[in-house]
C-alpha cells in the first residue's frame, strides 16, 4: 500500500511536484514566522495589546481578501497570480522585519495577509487543474502532509536559529536576523513557480461579477 502511494506521488505531473515543493518551502517559512514573530514584536517593546492588533489585522485582511481572491482567480492566469502575489508577499516581509514603527508593522501585516490570501486561494484550483482526476485525493493528501511536516520543521528551525547567530557572533537582534533570513524561503518559493509549464483547464469567459448571481448551496452553508 505504501509503495503504491509513493509510486503514485512520483508519477504526479511535474507542475504538481513543483507546487508541492513550494508548499514545503513556504510552510517552513510559516513555521519560523509562527514561532518568532510574536516574540519579535514583544521584544521591540510593544505590549500584548498591540501584538493582538497586528495579528488580528493580518487575519482579518486575509479573510476579507479571500472572496475577491476567488473572483480574481477565475478571471486571470493562476500561475501569474501566484507569481505576483508571491513577489508582493516577499517584498512586504522585508520592511516588516527591518523597521519597528507601529504603523509599519500594522500596514505590512495587513498587506502580507492580503497577498497570502491570493496565493492560498489560487493554490487549490491550480493543483486540481494539473493532476489527473484519479490522483486528486493523493495530491491533496500529499500537500497536507508535506505542509504539516514542513511547519513542524520550521518551528524547530525557529527555535534553533536565534541561538546559532549568537554562536556565529552576529551582533544584530537574533530574532530579527532569523526572520530576515527566512525571507530567502519566500524567494525560493517564488522561484520554484517559474519552470511551471502551461497546463490546465481552458480559460472560461467570465462576465461582470454580481451578488445577484451568487447561489449558495445547502452543502456550502453546512461546511461554513
Amino acid at each position: 500500500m505504501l509503495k503504491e502511494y509513493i509510486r503514485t506521488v512520483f508519477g504526479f505531473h511535474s507542475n504538481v511536484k513543483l507546487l508541492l515543493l513550494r508548499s514545503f518551502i513556504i510552510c517552513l517559512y510559516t513555521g519560523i514566522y509562527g514561532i518568532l514573530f510574536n516574540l519579535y514584536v514583544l521584544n521591540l517593546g510593544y505590549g500584548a495589546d498591540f501584538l493582538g492588533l497586528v495579528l488580528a489585522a493580518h487575519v482579518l485582511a486575509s479573510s476579507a481578501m479571500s472572496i475577491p481572491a476567488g473572483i480574481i482567480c477565475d478571471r486571470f492566469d493562476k500561475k501569474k497570480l501566484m507569481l505576483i502575489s508571491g513577489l508582493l508577499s516577499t517584498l512586504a516581509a522585508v520592511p516588516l522585519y527591518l523597521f519597528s514603527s507601529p504603523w509599519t508593522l500594522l500596514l505590512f501585516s495587513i498587506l502580507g495577509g492580503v497577498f497570502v490570501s491570493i496565493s492560498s486561494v489560487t493554490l487549490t484550483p491550480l493543483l486540481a487543474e494539473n493532476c489527473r482526476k484519479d490522483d486528486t485525493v493523493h495530491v491533496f493528501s500529499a500537500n497536507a502532509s508535506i505542509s504539516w511536516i514542513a511547519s513542524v520543521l520550521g518551528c524547530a528551525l525557529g527555535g534553533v536559529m536565534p541561538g546559532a547567530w549568537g554562536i556565529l557572533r552576529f551582533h544584530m537582534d537574533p530574532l530579527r536576523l532569523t526572520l530576515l533570513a527566512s525571507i530567502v524561503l519566500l524567494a525560493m518559493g517564488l522561484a520554484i513557480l517559474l519552470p511551471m509549464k502551461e497546463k490546465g483547464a481552458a480559460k472560461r469567459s467570465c462576465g461582470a461579477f454580481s451578488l445577484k448571481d451568487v447561489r449558495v448551496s445547502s452543502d456550502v452553508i453546512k461546511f461554513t
Side-chain angles (χ1 to χ4, degrees):
M1 193 64 136
L2 181 60
K3 287 182 179 179
E4 182 182 344
Y5 184 85
I6 294 173
R7 193 181 303 114
T8 302
V9 170
F10 277 100
F12 288 163
H13 189 275
S14 59
N15 285 356
V16 173
K17 292 178 181 176
L18 289 171
L19 288 169
L20 292 178
L21 180 57
R22 176 193 173 277
S23 289
F24 181 84
I25 291 172
I26 295 300
C27 286
L28 272 179
Y29 167 82
T30 304
I32 295 172
Y33 171 90
I35 287 293
L36 294 185
F37 183 71
N38 296 0
L39 298 174
Y40 167 70
V41 173
L42 294 175
N43 197 48
L44 290 175
Y46 295 107
D49 53 348
F50 178 73
L51 173 60
L53 177 63
V54 170
L55 297 178
H58 177 87
V59 173
L60 288 173
S62 181
S63 301
M65 188 61 196
S66 59
I67 292 177
I71 298 169
I72 294 169
C73 183
D74 278 340
R75 285 161 171 72
F76 298 98
D77 182 87
K78 295 178 182 63
K79 176 187 172 182
K80 290 179 181 176
L81 274 178
M82 289 199 76
L83 281 169
I84 293 169
S85 60
L87 175 61
L88 293 175
S89 294
T90 304
L91 294 177
V94 176
L96 190 63
Y97 306 144
L98 272 182
F99 305 108
S100 55
S101 73
W103 289 109
T104 300
L105 294 172
L106 192 57
L107 172 62
F108 286 97
S109 287
I110 291 171
L111 291 176
V114 168
F115 303 140
V116 165
S117 182
I118 296 173
S119 294
S120 299
V121 169
T122 307
L123 176 62
T124 299
L126 198 55
L127 280 172
E129 288 177 2
N130 283 278
C131 69
R132 297 186 298 269
K133 189 174 181 180
D134 294 341
D135 289 342
T136 303
V137 174
H138 292 87
V139 167
F140 284 97
S141 65
N143 185 61
S145 301
I146 286 170
S147 298
W148 277 108
I149 291 168
S151 293
V152 172
L153 291 175
C155 289
L157 282 173
V160 170
M161 288 179 68
W165 301 125
I167 296 172
L168 296 173
R169 297 188 178 182
F170 282 90
H171 298 296
M172 185 185 283
D173 173 14
L175 299 180
R176 171 174 282 173
L177 192 54
T178 301
L179 288 168
L180 284 170
S182 70
I183 295 175
V184 173
L185 294 171
L186 288 177
M188 289 172 62
L190 180 64
I192 282 169
L193 295 173
L194 295 175
M196 279 184 59
K197 300 172 183 176
E198 293 294 332
K199 183 183 185 296
K203 289 183 175 65
R204 296 177 297 168
S205 58
C206 298
F209 175 75
S210 171
L211 289 175
K212 295 179 181 178
D213 299 326
V214 175
R215 299 289 183 271
V216 181
S217 71
S218 59
D219 289 337
V220 170
I221 293 173
K222 290 174 185 176
F223 276 116
T224 303

